[in-house]
Amino acid sequence: MSLPEPESVSQASEADGSRGPSSSRRNFLQLAAGAAAGTIITQYSTEIGVALEQATDGDLEVVWLQGQACTGCTISVLQGQYPTLEEVLSEFRLEVTFHPTIMPEAGEVAIDAMSDSPDVLIVEGSIPVDIPEAATVGQTPDGESKPLVDWVQELAPESEYVLAVGNCASFGGWPAAENKRNLYDLGANVTGARGLQFEQRTERGVLGPDFTSGAGLPVINLAGCPVHPDYVLLTIATVLNGHVPELDAYNRPKPFYEPLVHDNCPLRGYFDRGEFAETPGDEGCLIKIGCAGPYTRCDDQTRLWNDGTSVCLNVGSPCIGCMEPGFWDRFAPMGEEVERQSLFGSITAEQAGWAGVAAAGVGIGAHAVRKATGYGSFDGDEDAEAAAEASPESSAEPTDGDTED
Ligand code: SF4
Ligand code: SF4
């Protein structure tokens, strides 16, 4: 079927005044970003349904491929509650013509059912290019196992929209880890794992930096380990209604991936008072035991997980930066203070905390303290760094004090 022509958020607003809650052409990503903590999907489940229903008044074909992954992103989406994936498939007539985990067919029947020009191509897991046979689907006409990279390169240009679901498909994820400590003598990224358009923080994915889908968009990266189910369903609802979500330098929808974990953390008061946990289970900010919250962007501190129940920092676990390119090496080893990645020198957590305490005494705001100490929101710095490193000409290696061993 034909899909609505893509239009920007501002175009949609001008055309139909689509900011109101009753409009079925509202930008759902903006709506999601502006909603109260953890309740957006519950509050707006009807409208999400309307959006999907409107976009899918005929059958829309979806192909979901899995590469080097643990299937955690599929499990995460299956756990989504409002609407459930089952409702998405049965009521909103998204026809998933191929999904290795949930389709009943197998073998040649499954391959034959796969659309060769899907409306939405979803890829979960990284794509191995050095050992292509590490991830294969079906066979070639010669009877050889067909590498996933070939499927991706064939199907992506024929698809209206391409979504990379999870950190592995977006940036390479853990299969692309450098293995900095050379555990088990395995070496670094032995399979040549890459994301669809990125390899870690550079645009060296299997589709290349200039790829655009039929709708004229790059791959939309829905990072996370796993992806948040809301991000998948709301993004599908948005693009199928013809809206273009604003993307950041790593092609992540900004409404989901712009907030800084550190700024919305429930333990933030401890940080500002300079009170730090020394071991897991201690009271205090978790930065000294490996929290990557100051370097990680996503809205899950307010959206929460598991049907709006909780998030890592609510249960004593440091943020491990799962939404970021470069996860996992960038924040490894877990449990140890993340090597400083700001543009400020070697200030320690204690110094940052004491600076916060002192600043509070003389009335300096928390933002100024964060800038002064190098902890916290590095708005300018981070964006410039991301833009520079997203450039095809840029170095493959992170700079500015990024991880090294
Ligand atoms: S460093 Fe981590 S635990 Fe501490 S306030 Fe920031 S996000 Fe929360
Ligand atoms: S708190 Fe950090 S590690 Fe946990 S899910 Fe969110 S981004 Fe990922």
Side-chain angles (χ1 to χ4, degrees), residues 225 261 296 298 300-301 305 311-313 318-323:
C225 190
V261 166
T296 303
C298 71
D300 70 357
Q301 301 304 300
W305 289 77
V311 68
C312 306
L313 291 153
C319 171
I320 58 174
C322 79
M323 306 277 178

PDB file of all heavy atoms in Angstrom, residues 225 261 296 298 300-301 305 311-313 318-323, ligand 2:
ATOM      1  N   CYS A 225      20.243  -1.602  25.248  1.00  0.00           N
ATOM      2  CA  CYS A 225      20.612  -3.006  25.429  1.00  0.00           C
ATOM      3  C   CYS A 225      19.822  -3.554  26.613  1.00  0.00           C
ATOM      4  O   CYS A 225      20.342  -3.640  27.715  1.00  0.00           O
ATOM      5  CB  CYS A 225      22.112  -3.158  25.650  1.00  0.00           C
ATOM      6  SG  CYS A 225      22.700  -4.861  25.594  1.00  0.00           S
ATOM      7  N   VAL A 261      20.780  10.983  31.330  1.00  0.00           N
ATOM      8  CA  VAL A 261      20.412  10.136  32.471  1.00  0.00           C
ATOM      9  C   VAL A 261      20.749  10.828  33.789  1.00  0.00           C
ATOM     10  O   VAL A 261      19.947  10.864  34.729  1.00  0.00           O
ATOM     11  CB  VAL A 261      21.124   8.765  32.364  1.00  0.00           C
ATOM     12  CG1 VAL A 261      21.056   7.999  33.673  1.00  0.00           C
ATOM     13  CG2 VAL A 261      20.511   7.938  31.223  1.00  0.00           C
ATOM     14  N   THR A 296      25.377   9.444  29.199  1.00  0.00           N
ATOM     15  CA  THR A 296      24.374   8.610  28.529  1.00  0.00           C
ATOM     16  C   THR A 296      23.075   9.391  28.338  1.00  0.00           C
ATOM     17  O   THR A 296      22.558   9.978  29.298  1.00  0.00           O
ATOM     18  CB  THR A 296      24.099   7.338  29.354  1.00  0.00           C
ATOM     19  OG1 THR A 296      25.328   6.654  29.535  1.00  0.00           O
ATOM     20  CG2 THR A 296      23.102   6.432  28.654  1.00  0.00           C
ATOM     21  N   CYS A 298      19.140   9.318  27.231  1.00  0.00           N
ATOM     22  CA  CYS A 298      17.852   8.679  26.938  1.00  0.00           C
ATOM     23  C   CYS A 298      16.868   9.144  28.010  1.00  0.00           C
ATOM     24  O   CYS A 298      17.273   9.712  29.021  1.00  0.00           O
ATOM     25  CB  CYS A 298      17.945   7.158  26.921  1.00  0.00           C
ATOM     26  SG  CYS A 298      18.171   6.421  28.538  1.00  0.00           S
ATOM     27  N   ASP A 300      14.827   7.268  29.871  1.00  0.00           N
ATOM     28  CA  ASP A 300      14.250   6.179  30.672  1.00  0.00           C
ATOM     29  C   ASP A 300      14.210   6.470  32.172  1.00  0.00           C
ATOM     30  O   ASP A 300      13.567   5.732  32.918  1.00  0.00           O
ATOM     31  CB  ASP A 300      14.908   4.826  30.362  1.00  0.00           C
ATOM     32  CG  ASP A 300      16.344   4.712  30.850  1.00  0.00           C
ATOM     33  OD1 ASP A 300      16.886   5.692  31.384  1.00  0.00           O
ATOM     34  OD2 ASP A 300      16.920   3.611  30.689  1.00  0.00           O
ATOM     35  N   GLN A 301      14.877   7.530  32.622  1.00  0.00           N
ATOM     36  CA  GLN A 301      14.743   7.875  34.043  1.00  0.00           C
ATOM     37  C   GLN A 301      13.342   8.389  34.353  1.00  0.00           C
ATOM     38  O   GLN A 301      12.862   8.308  35.484  1.00  0.00           O
ATOM     39  CB  GLN A 301      15.772   8.933  34.454  1.00  0.00           C
ATOM     40  CG  GLN A 301      17.205   8.503  34.227  1.00  0.00           C
ATOM     41  CD  GLN A 301      17.539   7.197  34.925  1.00  0.00           C
ATOM     42  OE1 GLN A 301      17.432   7.099  36.144  1.00  0.00           O
ATOM     43  NE2 GLN A 301      17.917   6.185  34.157  1.00  0.00           N
ATOM     44  N   TRP A 305      10.942   1.489  32.951  1.00  0.00           N
ATOM     45  CA  TRP A 305      10.839   0.222  32.229  1.00  0.00           C
ATOM     46  C   TRP A 305       9.766  -0.646  32.873  1.00  0.00           C
ATOM     47  O   TRP A 305       9.229  -0.317  33.924  1.00  0.00           O
ATOM     48  CB  TRP A 305      12.181  -0.537  32.286  1.00  0.00           C
ATOM     49  CG  TRP A 305      13.276   0.078  31.474  1.00  0.00           C
ATOM     50  CD1 TRP A 305      14.027   1.171  31.788  1.00  0.00           C
ATOM     51  CD2 TRP A 305      13.758  -0.375  30.197  1.00  0.00           C
ATOM     52  NE1 TRP A 305      14.940   1.437  30.790  1.00  0.00           N
ATOM     53  CE2 TRP A 305      14.800   0.492  29.814  1.00  0.00           C
ATOM     54  CE3 TRP A 305      13.415  -1.448  29.357  1.00  0.00           C
ATOM     55  CZ2 TRP A 305      15.503   0.325  28.619  1.00  0.00           C
ATOM     56  CZ3 TRP A 305      14.124  -1.602  28.178  1.00  0.00           C
ATOM     57  CH2 TRP A 305      15.152  -0.714  27.813  1.00  0.00           C
ATOM     58  N   VAL A 311      13.824   1.437  36.894  1.00  0.00           N
ATOM     59  CA  VAL A 311      14.962   1.601  35.991  1.00  0.00           C
ATOM     60  C   VAL A 311      16.218   1.282  36.799  1.00  0.00           C
ATOM     61  O   VAL A 311      16.179   1.266  38.033  1.00  0.00           O
ATOM     62  CB  VAL A 311      14.985   3.034  35.411  1.00  0.00           C
ATOM     63  CG1 VAL A 311      15.304   4.061  36.493  1.00  0.00           C
ATOM     64  CG2 VAL A 311      15.963   3.167  34.251  1.00  0.00           C
ATOM     65  N   CYS A 312      17.331   1.042  36.113  1.00  0.00           N
ATOM     66  CA  CYS A 312      18.557   0.572  36.780  1.00  0.00           C
ATOM     67  C   CYS A 312      18.864   1.346  38.063  1.00  0.00           C
ATOM     68  O   CYS A 312      19.112   0.761  39.120  1.00  0.00           O
ATOM     69  CB  CYS A 312      19.733   0.698  35.826  1.00  0.00           C
ATOM     70  SG  CYS A 312      19.471  -0.127  34.239  1.00  0.00           S
ATOM     71  N   LEU A 313      18.869   2.679  37.968  1.00  0.00           N
ATOM     72  CA  LEU A 313      19.327   3.482  39.098  1.00  0.00           C
ATOM     73  C   LEU A 313      18.347   3.460  40.269  1.00  0.00           C
ATOM     74  O   LEU A 313      18.697   3.849  41.382  1.00  0.00           O
ATOM     75  CB  LEU A 313      19.605   4.911  38.628  1.00  0.00           C
ATOM     76  CG  LEU A 313      20.839   4.954  37.706  1.00  0.00           C
ATOM     77  CD1 LEU A 313      20.778   6.109  36.746  1.00  0.00           C
ATOM     78  CD2 LEU A 313      22.110   4.998  38.536  1.00  0.00           C
ATOM     79  N   PRO A 318      24.384   0.825  38.753  1.00  0.00           N
ATOM     80  CA  PRO A 318      24.845   1.969  37.965  1.00  0.00           C
ATOM     81  C   PRO A 318      24.346   1.873  36.532  1.00  0.00           C
ATOM     82  O   PRO A 318      24.166   0.769  36.012  1.00  0.00           O
ATOM     83  CB  PRO A 318      26.379   1.826  38.000  1.00  0.00           C
ATOM     84  CG  PRO A 318      26.676   0.897  39.110  1.00  0.00           C
ATOM     85  CD  PRO A 318      25.483   0.003  39.256  1.00  0.00           C
ATOM     86  N   CYS A 319      24.139   3.012  35.907  1.00  0.00           N
ATOM     87  CA  CYS A 319      23.871   3.030  34.467  1.00  0.00           C
ATOM     88  C   CYS A 319      25.134   2.556  33.756  1.00  0.00           C
ATOM     89  O   CYS A 319      26.236   3.038  34.055  1.00  0.00           O
ATOM     90  CB  CYS A 319      23.524   4.453  34.026  1.00  0.00           C
ATOM     91  SG  CYS A 319      23.416   4.649  32.234  1.00  0.00           S
ATOM     92  N   ILE A 320      24.997   1.613  32.833  1.00  0.00           N
ATOM     93  CA  ILE A 320      26.182   1.128  32.109  1.00  0.00           C
ATOM     94  C   ILE A 320      26.248   1.693  30.691  1.00  0.00           C
ATOM     95  O   ILE A 320      27.005   1.209  29.863  1.00  0.00           O
ATOM     96  CB  ILE A 320      26.237  -0.416  32.079  1.00  0.00           C
ATOM     97  CG1 ILE A 320      24.977  -1.000  31.420  1.00  0.00           C
ATOM     98  CG2 ILE A 320      26.442  -0.961  33.495  1.00  0.00           C
ATOM     99  CD1 ILE A 320      25.038  -2.525  31.227  1.00  0.00           C
ATOM    100  N   GLY A 321      25.419   2.698  30.425  1.00  0.00           N
ATOM    101  CA  GLY A 321      25.539   3.419  29.155  1.00  0.00           C
ATOM    102  C   GLY A 321      25.024   2.659  27.952  1.00  0.00           C
ATOM    103  O   GLY A 321      25.504   2.857  26.833  1.00  0.00           O
ATOM    104  N   CYS A 322      23.968   1.863  28.157  1.00  0.00           N
ATOM    105  CA  CYS A 322      23.565   0.937  27.091  1.00  0.00           C
ATOM    106  C   CYS A 322      22.954   1.621  25.874  1.00  0.00           C
ATOM    107  O   CYS A 322      22.783   0.980  24.847  1.00  0.00           O
ATOM    108  CB  CYS A 322      22.620  -0.125  27.642  1.00  0.00           C
ATOM    109  SG  CYS A 322      20.911   0.418  27.855  1.00  0.00           S
ATOM    110  N   MET A 323      22.619   2.900  25.968  1.00  0.00           N
ATOM    111  CA  MET A 323      21.999   3.588  24.829  1.00  0.00           C
ATOM    112  C   MET A 323      23.036   4.284  23.941  1.00  0.00           C
ATOM    113  O   MET A 323      22.679   4.894  22.942  1.00  0.00           O
ATOM    114  CB  MET A 323      21.013   4.656  25.334  1.00  0.00           C
ATOM    115  CG  MET A 323      19.960   4.145  26.287  1.00  0.00           C
ATOM    116  SD  MET A 323      18.576   3.426  25.431  1.00  0.00           S
ATOM    117  CE  MET A 323      17.558   2.879  26.827  1.00  0.00           C
TER     118      MET A 323
HETATM  119  S1  SF4 B   2      19.822   3.439  33.174  1.00  0.00           S
HETATM  120 FE1  SF4 B   2      21.533   3.327  31.702  1.00  0.00          FE
HETATM  121  S2  SF4 B   2      22.078   1.115  31.552  1.00  0.00           S
HETATM  122 FE2  SF4 B   2      20.038   1.270  32.542  1.00  0.00          FE
HETATM  123  S3  SF4 B   2      18.620   1.019  30.792  1.00  0.00           S
HETATM  124 FE3  SF4 B   2      18.929   3.234  31.113  1.00  0.00          FE
HETATM  125  S4  SF4 B   2      20.604   3.806  29.692  1.00  0.00           S
HETATM  126 FE4  SF4 B   2      20.616   1.550  29.897  1.00  0.00          FE
END
